[in-house]
Amino acid sequence: MSSLFPHALPLAAAAPSTPLGPFEDSAVTWTTWVTLMGFVGLTALALVSVGPVARRIGPDTLGAVTARLSRVAVVLGVLAGPAVLTDLAHGASDSGGYDYGAAWNSLYDGSNGGRLLGLEVTLVLVGAALVAPLTVRKVAAGPARAWLLGAGLGAGSVALGTTKFPDAVPDDWGRTSFETVMWMLHLIGGSLWLGGLAGLALLALRGAVAPADRGEFWAPVIRRFSVAAMSCVAAISLSGLFLYWEHVDGPSQLFTTMYGRVLGVKILIFGALLLLGAFNQFWLHPRVDALRATGDERPLRTILVRDFPVVITVEALLGMTVLFVAPFLHGSARNQAFQASAAKHSAVSLDDLPKIPAKEVSASTWVWGTSETLAVIAVMIVGYWASGVLARRRTAAATAVTTTDPGDLITA
C-alpha cells in the first residue's frame, strides 16, 4: 500500500522515544550540583554539628576541624562558578560544544532568568569568599567563625535556591509557591545530608582530631548529625512524594516510561542510603555511645577507623550517584505515557503531540498529603527515640560489665 501512495500520511505515528540524553550533558550538570550542594552541606556541618562539640573540647580541635571543612568548601564554592558557566555554555551551543561567550552574556541580561543565573554564580563565589578566612586555623578558632560560616551558608543556600526559583510571574501563585518550597526542601535537605556525610568522611581521616579527643568528639558529633540527617531524610521524602504525585500516575509508569525507570533507579539508590542510615542509627551510634561511656578508647578507635569511615564514605558515594542519575529525569512520566498513547491514534508529528495538563489539586490531595507528612514525621521521631533508648541500654550494659579485656565491650 505504501508503494502505491508514497505521500499518504500514516494512520498512526510511532510511539515517541524519550532517550536519556547525552552522557556529557548529565556529567556537566552533575558537576554543578555536586559543587553547589557540597558547599552548602560542608558549611552547615561545620556550623551546626561539628562546631559546638569541638568548641567544648578546645580551640585546637575547633580550629583543626573547621579549617579542614572550610578548605574543601572553598574549593567547591570556587569551582561552582565555572561549573555553572560550563553548564550554561553547553546548553547555549548549537553544535554541542561550549559557547562561553553566550553563557557569560546570559548573566544579568535584563531578564528574570538572567538575574537568577547571575545571582547563582555571584552568591556561591561570595559564599566561598566569606568562608575563605576560616581555612586558617587561628581564624577558624576565633570569634568570627560562626558569623562567617552563617553568612557563607546563607549565600550558598540562596545560590542553590535560584536553580528552582520561578523566572516568570506565575499564573497560580499558590501552586508555584508550594512547588518552589518542595524543591527547596529537596535540594537543601539533600545538601545537608550528603554534604554532611562527605564532611564526616573528611574528618575521619588522620590529622583532624587528636587521638586523645576522639572519644569526646565523635559520639556527640554523630548524634548531632543524626538529628540533622533524619530531618533531611524527612524533607527529602516529603518533597519526593509530592514530585512523584506531580509527575507519575501510578507505579506502573515506573516501568513503562523512561522517566519512571530513571526515577526507579533513583528510588533504589535512595533506599540503599536509608538502609545504611538505619545501620548507623541503630547499630553504630549506640555502640559508640556505650564505648565512650566506659572510657574505653581502644575499641572506640577500632570502630571509628574500621566501620564508621567506610559506611559514611559509601553513603557519600551513593549520594553522588543519586545526583548523577537526577539529570536524566527529563519531562514527566505522565506526559510520556500520554504522548505514547496519543501517537498510536494520531498522524501528528512527534514534536506536535499534545501534552497532558498538570494534575488538579483536590480535597483528597490535601488529605493524603497531610497524612503522609504526619506519617513521615512520626517515623522519624520514633526512629530517633528508639535509637536513643537502644544507646542508653547498651551504655548501661557496658558500664555494668566487669572484664579484663576491653575488646569484649564491642559485643556488650
Side-chain angles (χ1 to χ4, degrees), residues 126-258:
V126 168
L130 289 168
V131 177
L134 300 177
T135 58
V136 180
R137 290 194 178 193
K138 185 176 181 180
V139 180
R145 174 188 171 280
W147 291 100
L148 292 174
L149 283 175
L153 176 60
S157 299
V158 176
L160 183 62
T162 58
T163 60
K164 296 298 180 182
F165 290 165
D167 58 2
V169 178
D171 296 327
D172 186 344
W173 273 100
R175 179 161 186 155
T176 302
S177 299
F178 190 80
E179 288 176 348
T180 303
V181 170
M182 289 298 102
W183 272 115
M184 292 304 98
L185 289 176
H186 214 63
L187 293 178
I188 299 299
S191 300
L192 300 186
W193 185 23
L194 302 179
L197 288 171
L200 291 178
L202 288 170
L203 295 180
L205 299 176
R206 291 183 178 180
V209 182
D213 297 328
R214 288 174 184 169
E216 189 178 357
F217 176 81
W218 278 109
V221 164
I222 293 172
R223 202 66 184 168
R224 290 179 70 93
F225 177 73
S226 176
V227 177
M230 294 186 75
S231 301
C232 292
V233 168
I236 294 170
S237 300
L238 292 173
S239 56
L241 287 171
F242 169 77
L243 296 173
Y244 175 89
W245 170 84
E246 193 172 43
H247 294 291
V248 182
D249 275 337
S252 63
Q253 290 186 356
L254 294 176
F255 304 96
T256 58
T257 65
M258 182 59 71

Side-chain angles (χ1 to χ4, degrees), residues 7-67:
H7 301 293
L9 291 174
L11 294 178
S17 62
T18 51
L20 289 174
F23 177 87
E24 183 182 3
D25 292 358
S26 293
V28 172
T29 304
W30 175 81
T31 304
T32 302
W33 287 121
V34 167
T35 51
L36 281 172
M37 297 175 72
F39 175 80
V40 172
L42 289 175
T43 52
L45 178 71
L47 181 64
V48 177
S49 298
V50 170
V53 177
R55 184 182 294 110
R56 290 196 297 267
I57 296 174
D60 291 340
T61 301
L62 180 62
V65 297
T66 302

Side-chain angles (χ1 to χ4, degrees), residues 103-119 167-168:
W104 181 260
N105 291 333
S106 67
L107 306 181
Y108 300 111
D109 62 357
S111 65
N112 290 333
R115 294 186 188 95
L116 290 175
L117 291 173
L119 287 174
D167 58 2

Side-chain angles (χ1 to χ4, degrees), residues 71-93:
R71 288 164 188 165
V72 180
V74 169
V75 171
L76 292 177
V78 171
L79 291 177
V84 173
L85 284 174
T86 299
D87 196 10
L88 293 174
H90 193 50
S93 175

Side-chain angles (χ1 to χ4, degrees), residues 301-320:
R301 189 180 301 114
T302 300
I303 285 183
L304 291 175
V305 171
R306 293 181 181 176
D307 295 335
F308 182 63
V310 173
V311 173
I312 61 173
T313 300
V314 172
E315 287 188 80
L317 291 175
L318 285 175
M320 288 189 287

